[in-house]
Each structure stands twice: as C-alpha cells, then as structure tokens.
Amino acid sequence: SANDAAVALAEKVAGSTDGFIELMNRRAKELGMTSTVFHSVHGLPPAAGQEHDLTTARDLSLLCRELLKHPDTLRYTSTREHPFRPNVPGKTVQMRTHNHLLGHVEGCDGFKTGYIAQSGYSIAVTAARHGQRVIVIEALVANLTCWS
C-alpha cells in the first residue's frame, strides 16, 4: 500500500503527517463523510497510545465517488502488476495487486483492498458495464468501529 510513500507525500504536501491528517479530515467533511476521522496518513494499525482511523462503508463510497472524478485514478487502481527499479540488476521489485477481482470480474477496474488483524479484510471496488458504474464496499470486520 506504499505506506512509506504516504508519509513522504504527507510531509511534502503539508509539512508534517499531523498537518496532512488535518487536511484529510477537513476534506472528508467537505465530501460529506460525517462518520470518518483519520488519525494516520496510511491506515495502518495504530501504535500504542494512538487512535484508530474510523470510517463507514457509506463514507468510503463517497470517497470512491470523488476519486472517480480524477482520470488517473483508474489508471493506477486497475494496474495488476508493475515493476519498480526494472533497470537496476537484482533490485527489481514486482508489485502485484491484492485486488483479485481485476481480470476476473467483467468491468472491474479499481480501488483498494485492505487487511489489518483487528478488523479483518476489506475492499472498495468499482466496475463499469454497459455504460453504468457501480461502487461496492465490503468489510469483513471483527470490530465494526475499526475499519481502515
């Protein structure tokens, strides 16, 4: 999920991860994500003394709908496999998606899967068929107040 990249981007854009979290929460409210509170830039389980990110399937669907307004989103989220450092002998890393619906479900072209031990598996997925697009959010959670 490029968690280190999320931290680097947060620091570049807002000067700090805390500053970026403020931006994330402000934007979530602007989008109508009324049950979402971010405490991290990456969605990983919190360290001791930190709080979990909180959201709902409804709020994630609002975020996904907003992401679809940006053309590059599906270019990235539909990628099944991509090499990093392909020109460095012995250093190439092959990134493979965890979204196994890509290439197996007609029209599926994106979004994100997730897993953390406390809340289990989750997926936000989209597909287009016959000129219509659907967004599906599914979370198999052990603790419904903790979904990242």
Side-chain angles (χ1 to χ4, degrees):
S1 295
N3 302 311
D4 291 340
V7 171
L9 285 169
E11 291 173 348
K12 177 68 174 172
V13 169
S16 69
T17 54
D18 287 340
F20 196 76
I21 291 165
E22 287 178 31
L23 292 174
M24 290 169 63
N25 284 313
R26 183 178 320 136
R27 186 66 176 133
K29 296 304 175 217
E30 290 170 0
L31 294 174
M33 298 170 64
T34 57
S35 298
T36 295
V37 180
F38 295 111
H39 296 284
S40 74
V41 297
H42 46 60
L44 291 174
Q50 295 179 324
E51 296 183 64
H52 286 278
D53 296 326
L54 301 173
T55 193
T56 63
R58 176 198 169 275
D59 282 5
L60 285 178
S61 69
L62 293 173
L63 179 60
C64 290
R65 190 169 61 192
E66 181 65 20
L67 286 169
L68 287 170
K69 295 177 182 177
H70 304 276
D72 284 340
T73 297
L74 294 178
R75 182 168 64 96
Y76 292 115
T77 64
S78 66
T79 300
R80 295 170 64 192
E81 195 169 321
H82 183 79
F84 288 91
R85 297 187 303 256
N87 300 324
V88 181
K91 297 288 184 179
T92 300
V93 174
Q94 194 69 20
M95 186 257 350
R96 290 180 180 85
T97 185
H98 294 281
N99 182 352
H100 300 293
L101 298 177
L102 292 173
H104 296 282
V105 173
E106 180 188 343
C108 181
D109 54 5
F111 290 146
K112 175 83 176 84
T113 64
Y115 174 82
I116 61 174
Q118 188 172 3
S119 62
Y121 291 97
S122 60
I123 188 168
V125 68
T126 186
R129 291 186 196 166
H130 312 295
Q132 294 195 339
R133 176 167 297 283
V134 295
I135 297 169
V136 176
I137 311 295
E138 182 176 31
L140 305 174
V141 295
N143 175 354
L144 292 177
T145 63
C146 173
W147 195 84
S148 300

